[in-house]
Amino acid sequence: MLAVLVVADVALIAAAVASTRPGEQREAGPIPTFSSGPPPEEQQTSTPTPTPTTSPTSTEPSGFLSVVSATEAWRATPGSCTDVAARVERSVDGGATWSAVEVFFDVRTVVALDAGPERVSVLGGVGAACDRQFWASFTGGEFWKEYPAEAGSLGFSDVDGSTVTLRSGTVPSPCASPMRVVSSDGGDAVACEGLVTFRDAAGTWTPLDVPGIIDVTVSDDRYLIARSGADDCAGLAVQSVSIPVTSRSFASPLGCIPDIDPAGDVSLSSSGQVVWVDTGLQTLVSTDGGATW
């Protein structure tokens, strides 16, 4: 019996020694790991995304139009800080065709557009941070330069619609959701749903009920209004309001454009007796102050 036990012990010792030989040891498998987040390398290199400061809201116009002459005008879309950027275009053939204008300063949004015979100006959100900047070109859009001191020279509605910026400064908005802000030497106008509120040099606001108002612009000694639902026009009605505006002022019928659907994105702009209406798909020009098209 003792001999059997001795033999068994010797066998066990020999098996243990054989299992510990380096040449026969199995390679260890990978140790499983568990994580609820990215690897340390990714955590160290990730950076926060900047918060946009001028993303468009429902208070902003559907488009911008600025007339230079009977043949030339500029237009722009509002754009977005985080989605599709604003598009700036120019026409030199009375709106028959529009050409995209390449702006190297990465304009993301447009809040105001102003064009003239010598200069075109764009105010909007620029770059990844979408900071509001004022840029101008004296070469038809070929070269641009920033003019920070002129950022308040154009009228526009602020992001939340609670304030509007005029040439005279920023003031509380006369309505909750401004559709268009016009600021000129002759006065200021803010178009809201169903009415236009005019502001004189003394800072007095005068509201005028305009059911179906779509857009407003200023031309010399009067404001021009584009509206739908007028009794004497089945399409887009163009009306005028003389400057200065008082509590007795009213919108006088001026012209009618039956071929334009007033439910579309309509923009109105004028320069003297030249008036343009643009929908993004169709452009019409009047050379007699908006009476005929």
Side-chain angles (χ1 to χ4, degrees), residues 1-287:
M1 183 67 176
L2 180 60
V4 173
L5 293 176
V6 170
V7 171
D9 288 342
V10 171
L12 291 174
I13 294 171
V17 171
S19 66
T20 57
R21 291 174 184 173
E24 297 180 5
Q25 184 177 8
R26 292 185 179 180
E27 183 177 355
I31 299 175
T33 59
F34 303 92
S35 175
S36 60
E41 292 81 1
E42 295 183 10
Q43 293 178 347
Q44 293 175 0
T45 58
S46 61
T47 55
T49 302
T51 302
T53 58
T54 57
S55 57
T57 68
S58 59
T59 65
E60 295 190 353
S62 57
F64 299 88
L65 179 67
S66 188
V67 172
V68 178
S69 66
T71 57
E72 181 184 357
W74 292 67
R75 70 182 183 184
T77 58
S80 169
C81 290
T82 57
D83 197 359
V84 180
R87 183 177 67 255
V88 180
E89 296 177 317
R90 180 191 186 193
S91 175
V92 293
D93 55 10
T97 60
W98 291 86
S99 299
V101 178
E102 298 295 333
V103 286
F104 73 91
F105 50 91
D106 187 27
V107 59
R108 302 296 306 175
T109 66
V110 172
V111 298
L113 173 70
D114 182 62
E118 297 181 355
R119 185 178 84 164
V120 58
S121 306
V122 175
L123 176 65
V126 176
C130 216
D131 294 327
R132 185 167 291 164
Q133 298 178 8
F134 183 101
W135 289 74
S137 172
F138 292 86
T139 57
E142 184 178 2
F143 303 105
W144 296 83
K145 182 179 179 180
E146 184 184 4
Y147 294 87
E150 297 190 39
S153 63
L154 301 178
F156 60 93
S157 171
D158 291 330
V159 173
D160 62 359
S162 63
T163 59
V164 293
T165 296
L166 311 172
R167 290 189 178 187
S168 58
T170 300
V171 298
S173 174
C175 67
S177 300
M179 297 165 49
R180 179 77 71 190
V181 178
V182 176
S183 188
S184 66
D185 295 335
D188 307 306
V190 177
C192 308
E193 185 176 357
L195 80 158
V196 184
T197 305
F198 303 91
R199 190 173 190 267
D200 59 22
T204 302
W205 291 100
T206 302
L208 178 66
D209 289 334
V210 185
I213 183 169
I214 297 174
D215 206 353
V216 62
T217 187
V218 62
S219 177
D220 296 335
D221 59 349
R222 60 180 178 169
Y223 291 100
L224 297 181
I225 294 173
R227 57 165 297 202
S228 62
D231 295 336
D232 57 347
C233 181
L236 183 72
V238 180
Q239 301 178 341
S240 67
V241 180
S242 299
I243 298 176
V245 180
T246 68
S247 58
R248 296 183 178 182
S249 296
F250 58 93
S252 301
L254 184 61
C256 179
I257 311 176
D259 298 332
I260 284 187
D261 182 5
D265 296 333
V266 177
S267 297
L268 179 72
S269 180
S270 64
S271 176
Q273 290 296 301
V274 177
V275 187
W276 287 46
V277 168
D278 181 70
T279 67
L281 299 175
Q282 184 180 8
T283 305
L284 293 177
V285 178
S286 171
T287 57

